[in-house]
Amino acid sequence: MKLKILIKEKEIKNRVKELAEEIKKDYKDKNPLLIGILKGGFMFLSDLIRNLNFPHEIDFIRVASYGSRTVSRGKVRWIMKSKTPLKQRHVLIIEDIVDTGYTLKKIYTQLKRQKPLSCRICVFLDKFDRRKVKVPLHYVGFKVPDFFLVGYGLDFNEKFRYLKDIRIIDMEEKNG
Ligand code: IMP
Ligand code: MG
């Protein structure tokens, strides 16, 4: 299986810093609650908050949308919910990648039902060509082409999450 670099570690670092600046401008006096989506969003969230030098809180939720396949089923299963009350909070959802949009759409709708003061989405990668349902993306790290990507928290069958850059996975093994 070949892996080709799409976004280098240095570019990721710079972009995360820029996003943190944008978020700071909008939230610095609001003590926002950043909700990371497990597992994929953990690395992005942890890098992001190391650049947020103002008061905020974090929590996590976990959903499963892909199983071991690389094609979305359009079904999203809740595995772990957040226990932090969202009423009176400014909520910012932190996700690794948006593809068809089903996952974020479901999360966004569910969290908004709890009537937070505001609810926005910050996504590291936007695979815009594959969108099936509309979701409002307030902060986007990079727009990416339609390839299966790994690294920086993103996995393929639970592998490659640890990679420091974003890589394209070449599924078509060419033997000889
Ligand atoms: P969506 O529901 O189709 O938007 O899929 C979003 C979820 O699928 C993300 O939270 C990821 O976990 C996973 N996903 C989508 N595209 C990729 C990819 O290229 N690499 C790894 N995971 C992906
Ligand atoms: Mg995910």
Side-chain angles (χ1 to χ4, degrees):
M1 204 172 276
K2 274 193 238 150
L3 297 173
K4 199 178 116 199
I5 295 187
L6 179 70
I7 309 170
K8 290 199 189 109
E9 185 185 357
K10 184 83 185 121
E11 290 175 78
I12 294 176
K13 275 203 176 129
N14 292 340
R15 188 66 189 125
V16 169
K17 263 192 204 139
E18 287 174 1
L19 286 172
E21 279 304 314
E22 277 183 56
I23 292 169
K24 185 180 174 181
K25 246 186 249 153
D26 297 343
Y27 289 97
K28 67 175 180 316
D29 303 314
K30 293 183 171 160
N31 185 31
L33 176 67
L34 277 64
I35 301 187
I37 316 296
L38 295 173
K39 300 179 194 173
F42 83 98
M43 205 177 277
F44 178 40
L45 177 71
S46 69
D47 278 353
L48 195 63
I49 66 171
R50 273 179 281 196
N51 287 282
L52 293 183
N53 50 350
F54 67 91
H56 64 274
E57 294 170 27
I58 66 162
D59 203 344
F60 291 96
I61 58 179
R62 186 166 169 202
V63 295
S65 41
Y66 264 21
S68 60
R69 290 183 255 173
T70 54
V71 183
S72 179
R73 291 180 234 131
K75 282 211 175 110
V76 182
R77 198 158 49 90
W78 288 86
I79 297 181
M80 186 184 106
K81 295 196 175 186
S82 147
K83 294 222 164 59
T84 315
L86 304 189
K87 264 206 163 162
Q88 310 303 323
R89 299 306 302 262
H90 291 282
V91 172
L92 185 56
I93 300 166
I94 311 291
E95 171 66 314
D96 54 354
I97 186 165
V98 55
D99 184 5
T100 60
Y102 289 124
T103 308
L104 269 176
K105 172 98 186 189
K106 171 121 180 191
I107 292 167
Y108 184 69
T109 312
Q110 282 283 126
L111 296 187
K112 277 191 77 156
R113 250 184 226 145
Q114 298 177 49
K115 304 244 184 301
L117 286 175
S118 70
C119 188
R120 285 182 171 182
I121 294 173
C122 171
V123 69
F124 184 61
L125 302 174
D126 176 11
K127 225 193 252 182
F128 57 96
D129 264 346
R130 306 222 335 143
R131 201 64 30 82
K132 288 267 185 355
V133 285
K134 239 182 150 179
V135 270
L137 304 178
H138 298 94
Y139 309 92
V140 174
F142 297 93
K143 290 194 173 228
V144 290
D146 180 14
F147 291 113
F148 199 80
L149 305 172
V150 293
Y152 201 62
L154 286 89
D155 74 307
F156 172 65
N157 285 347
E158 293 304 322
K159 293 193 180 71
F160 309 120
R161 289 193 198 274
Y162 64 91
L163 295 172
K164 289 178 181 167
D165 31 41
I166 295 287
R167 297 183 189 224
I168 297 172
I169 204 163
D170 185 357
M171 307 276 192
E172 285 157 43
E173 285 272 71
K174 292 182 192 88
N175 301 313

